[in-house]
């Protein structure tokens, strides 16, 4: 079964540095998402992406964050000038093959970001 | 806006006990409803779903029925196993926007 893959599985960075989290969504999916989860707590929505642009973003997703689909397969989340409170698990998800409606999200296994 | 509420955890059960995790939602229109499971150190996996009222989603012995009249989607399993220990998330979708509940941690003891 096709799956969403995320790299790296764990990223350690110093406060103030920039990080890029990478995701390869399921190939025929059209909708892409980033979520984060702090210390096994609530899953928080960050941003959704469709047709090469952001379709919705949360209050968390401020100017520090950006997303990009640089080619036909990758979907990246960039965090500029990381802060300690950015430490979390970041999950990529995709959904919505052509002709689908209310199709479920398929999640990657996440990238654990640790900011020191 | 749309929202999902789940029973507070953690829930601790003995093996073979009956499980219920309550979930209620608030939404406009007719959302689809989902249960996701997160095993330790892993991402979220779709457990089951229901797309319209009175639908029953089922998988791996888990069941949940979409109850529009009570705006609920409670998760049940007749006999839990140690391997069911995980965090369970109720979620809804109104099309392409998903909202997750806070999660309920289940621990099953042998």
């Amino acid at each position: 079964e096709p799956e969403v893959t995320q790299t790296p599985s764990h990223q350690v960075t110093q406060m103030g540095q920039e990080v890029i989290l990478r995701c390869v969504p399921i190939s025929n999916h059209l909708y892409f998402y980033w979520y984060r989860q702090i210390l096994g707590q609530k899953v928080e929505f960050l941003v959704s992406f469709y047709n090469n642009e952001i379709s919705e973003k949360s209050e968390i997703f401020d100017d520090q964050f950006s997303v990009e689909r640089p080619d036909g397969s990758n979907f990246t989340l960039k965090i500029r000038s990381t802060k300690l409170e950015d430490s979390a698990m970041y999950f990529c998800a995709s959904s919505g093959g052509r002709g689908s409606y209310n199709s479920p999200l398929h999640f990657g296994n996440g990238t654990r970001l640790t900011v020191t | 806006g749309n929202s999902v509420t789940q029973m507070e955890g953690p829930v601790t059960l003995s093996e073979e006990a009956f499980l219920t995790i309550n979930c209620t939602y608030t939404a406009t229109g007719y959302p689809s409803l989902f249960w996701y499971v997160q095993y330790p150190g892993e991402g979220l996996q779709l457990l089951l779903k229901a797309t319209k009222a009175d639908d029953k989603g089922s998988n791996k012995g888990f069941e949940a029925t979409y109850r529009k009249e009570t705006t609920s989607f409670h998760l049940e399993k007749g006999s839990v196993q140690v391997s069911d220990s995980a965090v369970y998330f109720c979620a809804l979708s109104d099309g392409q926007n998903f909202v997750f509940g806070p999660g309920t941690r289940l621990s099953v003891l042998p």
Side-chain angles (χ1 to χ4, degrees):
Chain A
E1 183 176 328
E3 53 184 35
V4 176
T5 56
Q6 289 186 244
T7 54
S9 57
H10 192 187
Q11 174 88 49
V12 181
T13 189
Q14 289 189 328
M15 196 166 51
Q17 296 298 304
E18 174 182 287
V19 295
I20 297 176
L21 310 183
R22 303 183 189 279
C23 170
V24 179
I26 293 173
S27 62
N28 67 338
H29 281 181
L30 302 176
Y31 300 87
F32 314 114
Y33 306 80
W34 283 100
Y35 286 81
R36 79 174 185 189
Q37 185 181 36
I38 296 175
L39 287 176
Q41 296 176 17
K42 186 173 182 176
V43 177
E44 299 176 299
F45 169 74
L46 293 178
V47 65
S48 59
F49 192 88
Y50 170 73
N51 199 26
N52 286 321
E53 61 183 21
I54 291 173
S55 49
E56 189 169 345
K57 59 183 181 180
S58 71
E59 292 177 352
I60 302 169
F61 195 88
D62 58 20
D63 292 344
Q64 184 192 6
F65 295 88
S66 62
V67 289
E68 197 175 45
R69 188 157 164 80
D71 53 42
S73 60
N74 290 285
F75 180 52
T76 62
L77 174 69
K78 181 187 292 185
I79 309 175
R80 287 179 282 274
S81 188
T82 50
K83 301 176 286 209
L84 293 176
E85 54 265 38
D86 294 327
S87 296
M89 282 290 288
Y90 287 81
F91 292 106
C92 175
S94 69
S95 74
R98 288 192 185 279
S100 66
Y101 179 76
N102 275 336
S103 61
L105 292 181
H106 296 259
F107 284 85
N109 280 334
T111 294
R112 180 177 298 282
L113 176 65
T114 302
V115 182
T116 61
Chain B
N2 297 337
S3 66
V4 175
T5 303
Q6 288 180 238
M7 63 187 293
E8 292 289 327
V11 174
T12 302
L13 296 173
S14 298
E15 205 164 23
E16 299 183 3
F18 184 86
L19 168 71
T20 300
I21 300 179
N22 289 339
C23 170
T24 56
Y25 67 91
T26 302
T28 55
Y30 303 95
S32 289
L33 303 174
F34 307 85
W35 277 100
Y36 282 82
V37 58
Q38 185 179 30
Y39 299 104
E42 298 185 12
L44 281 75
Q45 301 174 25
L46 177 67
L47 181 60
L48 54 83
K49 68 174 184 178
T51 57
K52 62 182 187 296
D54 300 324
D55 269 1
K56 177 186 284 188
S58 61
N59 186 24
K60 300 180 181 179
F62 291 90
E63 294 183 340
T65 301
Y66 189 143
R67 300 288 188 199
K68 187 167 172 55
E69 64 276 13
T70 54
T71 61
S72 65
F73 193 55
H74 305 322
L75 182 68
E76 297 181 335
K77 186 174 186 181
S79 176
V80 294
Q81 305 300 311
V82 173
S83 56
D84 293 327
S85 298
V87 181
Y88 292 82
F89 293 91
C90 186
L92 70 79
S93 170
D94 60 2
Q96 290 301 334
N97 297 312
F98 282 78
V99 176
F100 286 85
T104 302
R105 182 175 300 278
L106 170 66
S107 296
V108 181
L109 305 178

